[in-house]
Amino acid sequence: MGHRVLQWFITVFFLALAALAVEKMGIHGPNGAPVGLTAILATVFVVQRILRSRVILRQHDVRVVNAIFEYRVMCGAVKKVFVDNRGNLKIDTKGGAEIFVAAYSGSLVDSFVGSSGRAAEEILRHVASRSTTSQDPEVRRRYTFSWMSDIWLVAAVACSVWAAINSSAG
């Protein structure tokens, strides 16, 4: 729940900054409001993508949602879940794949609260408690689509086109 609150707080902060930029620079003025908006909206996109990283424990698999890709590993294919020497949570599979879990990426705060270690223990408990019929070692990877994140990318691209049109017309 804390990630969601932080995600929306940062998004609202940057959108308020965008509104102030448009107000101060003017929409058609020479001060670069379209360029500033492009940068702000692109930043919101990146922040949304990063803060949407998470681990989902499902009945027969573990889903790791990182900023760009989502990985699906069947519980029977998990070989090891560990925290490396930098504090990053990783999952090794029986097929030889190593999956980096961005949601637990060894932050300074994590070094004090130990959330990566607790997450690793929870994933191990989940995997151990599941009697799986599948020993499929293959990791399924796909692009993560998130309309709440990707809408900001579309808005940033639209602003960059607007900036390009403004600079060529002026």
Side-chain angles (χ1 to χ4, degrees):
M1 184 64 170
H3 269 65
R4 292 280 189 224
V5 171
L6 180 63
Q7 174 186 358
W8 283 107
F9 175 77
I10 291 173
T11 300
V12 168
F13 171 76
F14 278 112
L15 292 177
L17 189 62
L20 289 173
V22 169
E23 179 186 336
K24 292 288 185 190
M25 296 177 184
I27 292 177
H28 300 290
N31 297 328
V35 175
L37 280 175
T38 300
I40 290 169
L41 294 173
T43 301
V44 170
F45 163 72
V46 170
V47 167
Q48 285 274 335
R49 277 294 182 162
I50 291 170
L51 290 179
R52 292 186 67 76
S53 298
R54 62 197 180 278
V55 176
I56 303 168
L57 303 177
R58 298 177 49 132
Q59 183 162 347
H60 298 293
D61 62 20
V62 175
R63 303 249 171 134
V64 176
V65 180
N66 287 336
I68 305 294
F69 294 107
E70 175 181 320
Y71 300 89
R72 178 178 173 234
V73 183
M74 298 305 289
C75 287
V78 174
K79 178 180 175 183
K80 181 169 73 167
V81 181
F82 65 99
V83 178
D84 69 8
N85 59 357
R86 292 184 171 178
N88 299 315
L89 179 61
K90 294 184 178 179
I91 299 174
D92 279 346
T93 67
K94 293 176 181 173
E98 182 178 89
I99 301 167
F100 169 75
V101 182
Y104 299 96
S105 59
S107 69
L108 179 63
V109 173
D110 184 60
S111 64
F112 293 107
V113 297
S115 57
S116 293
R118 288 195 315 272
E121 291 170 7
E122 184 66 27
I123 293 169
L124 284 171
R125 269 196 302 275
H126 173 76
V127 168
S129 70
R130 303 294 173 209
S131 59
T132 64
T133 56
S134 173
Q135 296 293 321
D136 184 3
E138 185 178 341
V139 174
R140 306 245 188 318
R141 182 181 86 166
R142 68 182 181 99
Y143 173 76
T144 302
F145 177 77
S146 167
W147 70 270
M148 278 307 292
S149 300
D150 296 343
I151 193 74
W152 303 113
L153 178 61
V154 171
V157 169
C159 280
S160 69
V161 169
W162 178 31
I165 291 170
N166 265 1
S167 69
S168 66

